[in-house]
C-alpha cells in the first residue's frame, strides 16, 4: 500500500500547499498544542511531514530543530530550500536510532497504516523516554458536503478511486477514527500514559472555492485533476463542484482525534 500512496502524495506535491495546506497548517498548530510535554528546546520529528505543517508548528512552539520524514519525496521536495532537513522513508522503519527525538508528531499520517500500533511503536522507539508522541486522525464524524460534491464532479469526468485510496478509506483510516480505536492503537504500541483528545476545529473563513480547492488538492484527486487536458477543463471541474455544493452548506468544522502520549519506558 505504501508505494502507491507515496506516489499519489508525491504527485500532489505543490498543489497540496495551495489547497489542503491552509487547513492542515491550522490543524498542525492544534495538534502540537496537545503535547503532554514542553516542546520548547526539543529536537522534534515531523513524521509523515508532507509539506511540513507540523514542523512549522513545532518551531513556532519553540522546538530547537525539526527533522522531517515522509514516504513521498514529492511532498518533501515542496519548498525544500526553506524547510527543515528531511528524509524520504517509511514511518514503519524510521532511519534514526532509539531515543533520538524529544517530541515526535505524526499529523494525519499514521492513518495511512494498516496497523497504526506498529507505527506508534516505531515513533515511540525514536523518542526519548521523557518525551512525547503526538498523533492525529480524522474522527468518524468528520463530514462535510464538499467531499461528495468534489467526488461527484470528478467522477463525472472519469475519476475513480485508486486501490490505495480504497484501502485508506475502508480499512486504514477507520482504525483511528474513534476514541476506542485510538486507545487500542496506543495500548498495542505499549504506550501507558495516553490522552485521547477529541476536538472540532472551525474554518469559518473558507468559502466554496477554497473548500473545493482543499478537496481537489488531496492525493486521491490531485493527480487526476493535474492530468485533465487543459486549464479550461480544470476550471470547468471546479465550477461543477461548486455548483454541486450549492449555497446551503455548513461552515467547515474538522473533527479530529489526537493521541497525546508520554513515551516512558517502552519496548525498544
Ligand atoms: C494527510 S498527509 C498529512 C501531511 C502533514 N503531516 C500535514 O499535516 O499536512 C499524510 C502524509 O503521510 C505520508 N505517509 C503516508 N504513509 C506513510 C508512511 N507509511 N510512511 C511515511 N509517510 C507516510 C504521506 O506521504 C503524506 O505526506
Amino acid at each position: 500500500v505504501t508505494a502507491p500512496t507515496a506516489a499519489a502524495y508525491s504527485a500532489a506535491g505543490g498543489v497540496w500547499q495551495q489547497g489542503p495546506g491552509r487547513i492542515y497548517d491550522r490543524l498542525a498548530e492544534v495538534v502540537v498544542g496537545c503535547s503532554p510535554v514542553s516542546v520548547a528546546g526539543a529536537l522534534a520529528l515531523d513524521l509523515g511531514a508532507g509539506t511540513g505543517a507540523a514542523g512549522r508548528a513545532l518551531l513556532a512552539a519553540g522546538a530547537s530543530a525539526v527533522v522531517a520524514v515522509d514516504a513521498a519525496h514529492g511532498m518533501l521536495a515542496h519548498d525544500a530550500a526553506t524547510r527543515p532537513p528531511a528524509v524520504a522513508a517509511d514511518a514503519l522503519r524510521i532511519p534514526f536510532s532509539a531515543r533520538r527525538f524529544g517530541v515526535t508528531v505524526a499529523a494525519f499520517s499514521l492513518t495511512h497504516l494498516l496497523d497504526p500500533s506498529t507505527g506508534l511503536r516505531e515513533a515511540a522507539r525514536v523518542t526519548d523516554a521523557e518525551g512525547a508522541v503526538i498523533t492525529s486522525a480524522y474522527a468518524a464524524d468528520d463530514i462535510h458536503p464538499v467531499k461528495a460534491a468534489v467526488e461527484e464532479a470528478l467522477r463525472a469526468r472519469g475519476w475513480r478511486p485508486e486501490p490505495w485510496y480504497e484501502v485508506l478509506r475502508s480499512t486504514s483510516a477507520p482504525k483511528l477514527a474513534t476514541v476506542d480505536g485510538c486507545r487500542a492503537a496506543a495500548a498495542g504500541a505499549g504506550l501507558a500514559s495516553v490522552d485521547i483528545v477529541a476536538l472540532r476545529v472551525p474554518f469559518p473563513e473558507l468559502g466554496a472555492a477554497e473548500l473545493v480547492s482543499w478537496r481537489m488538492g488531496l492525493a486521491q484527486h490531485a493527480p487526476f485533476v493535474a492530468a485533465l487536458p487543459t486549464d479550461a477543463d480544470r476550471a470547468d471541474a471546479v465550477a461543477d463542484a461548486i455548483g454541486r455544493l450549492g449555497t446551503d452548506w455548513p461552515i467547515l468544522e474538522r473533527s479530529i482525534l489526537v493521541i497525546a502520549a508520554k513515551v516512558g519506558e517502552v519496548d525498544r
Side-chain angles (χ1 to χ4, degrees):
V1 175
T2 304
T5 304
Y9 273 100
S10 272
V15 184
W16 175 279
Q17 205 46 38
Q18 292 158 25
R22 60 167 71 88
I23 289 170
Y24 280 85
D25 278 19
R26 170 107 48 89
L27 292 178
E29 290 166 11
V30 172
V31 171
V32 168
C34 291
S35 176
V37 303
S38 173
V39 170
L43 173 62
L45 175 64
D46 180 2
L47 183 58
T51 52
R56 285 186 287 279
L58 283 158
L59 290 171
S64 63
V66 169
V67 175
V69 165
D70 198 289
H73 182 270
M75 293 289 269
L76 295 175
H78 174 74
D79 227 359
T82 60
R83 296 256 308 268
V87 186
D90 194 326
L92 294 173
R93 290 169 62 97
I94 303 170
F96 291 101
S97 53
R99 302 173 186 260
R100 194 71 191 83
F101 299 95
V103 174
T104 295
V105 174
F108 309 100
S109 52
L110 301 189
T111 45
H112 293 72
L113 302 180
L114 284 166
D115 178 8
S117 280
T118 313
L120 273 172
R121 185 179 288 276
E122 177 66 348
R125 179 187 67 79
V126 297
T127 310
D128 192 79
E130 303 298 316
V133 171
I134 305 109
T135 308
S136 57
Y138 320 99
D141 64 350
D142 181 51
I143 50 172
H144 192 280
V146 72
K147 296 184 179 186
V150 167
E151 200 167 306
E152 285 161 15
L154 295 181
R155 270 186 189 275
R157 287 158 178 79
W159 176 84
R160 295 291 179 271
E162 287 184 36
W164 73 266
Y165 180 57
E166 292 280 29
V167 171
L168 173 66
R169 68 177 173 184
S170 68
T171 310
S172 317
K175 291 183 176 168
L176 292 180
T178 63
V179 171
D180 285 350
C182 289
R183 216 174 278 296
L191 293 164
S193 176
V194 179
D195 269 339
I196 314 292
V197 188
L199 294 164
R200 297 189 73 87
V201 185
F203 293 84
E205 76 283 11
L206 297 185
E210 284 94 11
L211 293 177
V212 167
S213 99
W214 157 43
R215 298 307 297 174
M216 288 204 180
L218 294 172
Q220 66 269 29
H221 295 318
F224 177 84
V225 173
L228 288 171
T230 66
D231 285 347
D233 293 317
R234 274 180 284 283
D236 190 54
V238 169
D240 185 8
I242 291 174
R244 287 173 194 262
L245 180 59
T247 52
D248 187 22
W249 44 268
I251 283 171
L252 175 67
E253 201 175 56
R254 304 247 30 205
S255 177
I256 66 170
L257 294 169
V258 181
I259 304 175
K262 288 185 181 170
V263 173
E265 286 310 325
V266 290
D267 196 5
R268 289 181 170 83

